Amino acid sequence: MRRLEVVMEHWPIAGEFRISRGAKREAVVVVATIRDGSNAGRGECTPYARYGETVDGVLEAILSVQPDIASGLDRQDLLDRLPAGAARNAIDCALLDLEARQTGRSVSALLGMPVPERVLTCYTLSLAEPADMARQAEAQWRLPLLKLKLGAPGDADRMREVRKARPEARLVADANEGWSETELEHLLAVAAECGFETIEQPLPAGADGRLGRIVRPLAVTADESVHVADDLEALRDRYDGVNLKLDKAGGLTAAVEAAHAAISAGLDIMVGSMVATSLAMAPALHLAGVARWVDLDGPLLLARDRSPHLVYEGAWITPASRDLWG
């Protein structure tokens, strides 16, 4: 009989990670393990307050399906049993990992989503004063693709200062719903002037209609506005791409469905994650082959990672060993 175990873990961040909604010094994650005989599958998730999640609530939601897991709940049944979110993500990834170990087939083979031999990830610059962000960029001179956290007064200066500090770098940015309609066009113009490839979620989710009424000078990518495949149709006039995260979609199974829907809609894909360990990044790598941008630098922002872990060579990720996941 299968049995479910769940634990909360604390992983210190190297310094402080700040976005427009605040700062944190540790990543609090929840790990679900499903055991069946000698095999065990694991999944990691990060409860996110922006979506009304708490660690206690996610733990409770995961434990609520313990009887279903014991009686054979599969990934398709799980989509109906729990809503999209962190709890479903942890269970979905644990079920996939378990299935791979029981069948001897990789998750790539099970899903038909091959992982590239090497994946280039963004490296995130924490929100700070413009000069401080420029110094962060200079300190990471070996990394070719930087992602700026924006969403506070002074964003135009932040973009310009980072571009001056790293004239050769590829740049993207995430405003985390922090811009207003009145400053939107100006800040998008500055981003285009500075050669940014995309801006994520400049306006609040649910109040982003203006994006469909302006000429966008660069790609704008939805993050908080999109969770699952069904969200895409309402956003096609407003966005040029979507950031797919397993914690939002409620697992890799649902995220793959969203990726196929995004491709059909002609939208670019970014695959992202919360600040978390390699156990959370390994499943998300299965979306990298269809993504224009990959933002899976969570372990690089931690003071330490779990073992075994993904191998990062600068900003290049080597796919996970079977000992880690999948």
Side-chain angles (χ1 to χ4, degrees):
M1 178 182 293
R2 296 188 306 180
R3 65 184 191 277
L4 172 66
E5 302 168 0
V6 58
V7 296
M8 175 180 61
E9 298 176 346
H10 296 259
W11 294 89
I13 290 172
E16 180 181 77
F17 184 72
R18 181 176 292 276
I19 67 172
S20 60
R21 285 191 275 278
K24 61 181 182 178
R25 293 184 174 274
E26 68 174 2
V28 181
V29 306
V30 174
V31 177
T33 302
I34 300 175
R35 301 188 185 278
D36 189 355
S38 61
N39 293 300
R42 298 184 298 163
E44 178 182 318
C45 71
T46 304
Y48 194 31
R50 167 64 181 81
Y51 303 132
E53 295 177 332
T54 65
V55 172
D56 288 343
V58 167
L59 289 168
E60 182 180 353
I62 292 173
L63 289 172
S64 74
V65 300
Q66 195 163 24
D68 305 280
I69 294 291
S71 51
L73 180 80
D74 63 22
R75 291 183 290 116
Q76 291 304 313
D77 293 333
L78 178 64
L79 295 177
D80 296 325
R81 180 67 177 79
L82 286 179
R88 196 174 77 186
N89 176 34
I91 300 169
D92 178 76
C93 289
L95 287 170
L96 270 167
D97 190 25
L98 179 64
E99 185 177 351
R101 296 177 192 282
Q102 289 177 322
T103 63
R105 301 177 66 200
S106 67
V107 170
S108 293
L110 292 172
L111 295 179
M113 299 289 284
V115 179
E117 291 184 5
R118 291 205 312 161
V119 175
L120 177 66
T121 181
C122 301
Y123 180 82
T124 304
L125 304 183
S126 185
L127 179 64
E129 291 301 313
D132 292 332
M133 294 191 75
R135 282 191 286 271
Q136 289 183 55
E138 288 174 334
Q140 303 300 333
W141 60 270
R142 293 183 179 87
L143 305 184
L145 177 56
L146 301 178
K147 178 175 179 176
L148 283 63
K149 284 294 187 179
L150 302 176
D155 278 349
D157 291 336
R158 290 182 178 92
M159 290 187 280
R160 288 173 172 142
E161 289 301 310
V162 169
R163 173 50 79 197
K164 288 178 187 175
R166 290 291 307 277
E168 84 297 349
R170 294 175 58 196
L171 299 178
V172 300
D174 183 2
N176 281 118
E177 306 178 278
W179 292 357
S180 67
E181 288 192 5
T182 56
E183 64 188 345
L184 174 67
E185 290 179 81
H186 169 66
L187 290 174
L188 288 178
V190 172
E193 162 203 317
C194 293
F196 279 71
E197 296 179 16
T198 188
I199 298 292
E200 284 180 68
Q201 199 68 45
L203 299 178
D208 52 3
R210 184 165 178 78
L211 287 166
R213 301 192 296 272
I214 64 170
V215 176
R216 300 186 293 273
L218 76 165
V220 178
T221 298
D223 184 359
E224 285 85 353
S225 287
V226 60
H227 292 239
V228 296
D230 288 346
D231 296 332
L232 295 176
E233 183 59 34
L235 304 176
R236 290 176 64 174
D237 67 325
R238 305 174 189 185
Y239 293 98
D240 308 287
V242 292
N243 186 337
L244 301 180
K245 296 176 181 175
L246 305 196
D247 280 321
K248 290 191 302 178
L252 183 55
T253 300
V256 168
E257 179 186 357
H260 290 315
I263 292 167
S264 296
L267 295 167
D268 286 324
I269 293 171
M270 175 184 286
V271 52
S273 71
M274 307 302 293
V275 180
T277 80
S278 284
L279 182 56
M281 307 302 128
L285 281 172
H286 291 76
L287 299 175
V290 296
R292 179 174 175 184
W293 304 282
V294 172
D295 181 23
L296 298 177
D297 63 343
L300 296 178
L301 305 174
L302 297 176
R304 57 183 175 84
D305 196 3
R306 70 174 71 247
S307 182
H309 54 75
L310 292 172
V311 175
Y312 286 79
E313 297 178 1
W316 291 94
I317 312 173
T318 301
S321 70
R322 295 291 291 275
D323 289 342
L324 174 62
W325 192 86

